Amino acid sequence: MTHRVLGTDLTVSSVGLGCMGFSHAYGAPTEEGEAVRAIRSACEMGYTLFDTAEVYGTQDDPHANERLVGKALADVRDKVQIVSKFGIRFDKSSPEVNKPVIPDARPAVIRASVEGSLKRLGTDHIDLYFQHRIDPDVEPEVVAEVMADLIREGKILYWGISEANEDYLRRAHAVCPVTAVENRYSMMARQYETLFPVLEELHIGLVAFSPMANGLLSGAYGKDAKFDPQLDYRSNMPQFTEQAAEQNRQLLQLLADLAAQKKATPAQISLAWMLCKKPWIVPIPGTRKPERMRENAGAADISLTADEVAALDNALDTIPMSEVFGGSRIVK
């Protein structure tokens, strides 16, 4: 596995592992022992960046994912970077499988969150701590001041903002330098490319979540794919409908054709496209399967020229594609 630098000096593996799916949002949770073995196998493959959050949990344990990640990485803690997040809770009263999100970034809430996460992760510091969503009731300068205090105290090493916009990012960065944003980014969700000049100007990295549009771009899901309507967010995602299968046919064929040329897989091409676009982009595809982890890691070895990336961008601008899941509804 090759490595990249987020911000000015946070060195991480070029591809990270999104760990949410072991516990949350993608069907029944993985048995703990199996999940621990899978995460440890990712370490052996060269992954160093592991992404979790305080709200990634099960029905029985709302913080299960942090505990799982902490247990899996305990023996290699000094060799990896743990990412966690603060600042939201789910509206548990909602009947939706993809429950609405309630942002809360008050300083006292942040303080309680970091202490809880440190305990569950079994560590004395979090390498990269993201504000999970912007709280419209708390100014970015207030959040950034808390982050500066936590860095001085050694409880976090770096911080970032998920689903950041330019104004919030600039204001926060002026108080406490931001190392990365963690935004939804894939061939089907390119809206944050407008933020790229700001990231380059401020030397801020991009941790790309859902880099394969929740797995669709892997080519592994056909029109007959079925998902648990009680536990799997994909059951309610527009890119997995029967109608979407036809709308996305040309996109998936484009990926398959280039994959054949490069002796790669569609999943690897979808990741290589962003890896070759900017040196400060680090995708964090989520998977529970070691064979998929190995496949995703291999994307870092695929070279696409600037012309090939531009050709893909041009194609993505013009070919039809379905709507894609844009995230949990935010309520206050």
Side-chain angles (χ1 to χ4, degrees), residues 307-318:
D307 287 344
E308 287 173 323
V309 171
L312 280 170
D313 284 346
N314 289 336
L316 295 172
D317 286 338
T318 57

Side-chain angles (χ1 to χ4, degrees), residues 146-162:
V146 178
M147 295 300 106
D149 288 342
L150 294 178
I151 290 171
R152 281 191 291 268
E153 295 164 18
K155 292 179 178 178
I156 69 172
L157 302 186
Y158 302 89
W159 85 289
I161 306 162
S162 185

Side-chain angles (χ1 to χ4, degrees), residues 289-310:
K289 300 176 180 178
E291 59 269 27
R292 285 292 191 189
M293 295 174 191
R294 190 170 292 106
E295 176 184 352
N296 295 340
D301 299 322
I302 296 170
S303 178
L304 299 177
T305 67
D307 287 344
E308 287 173 323
V309 171

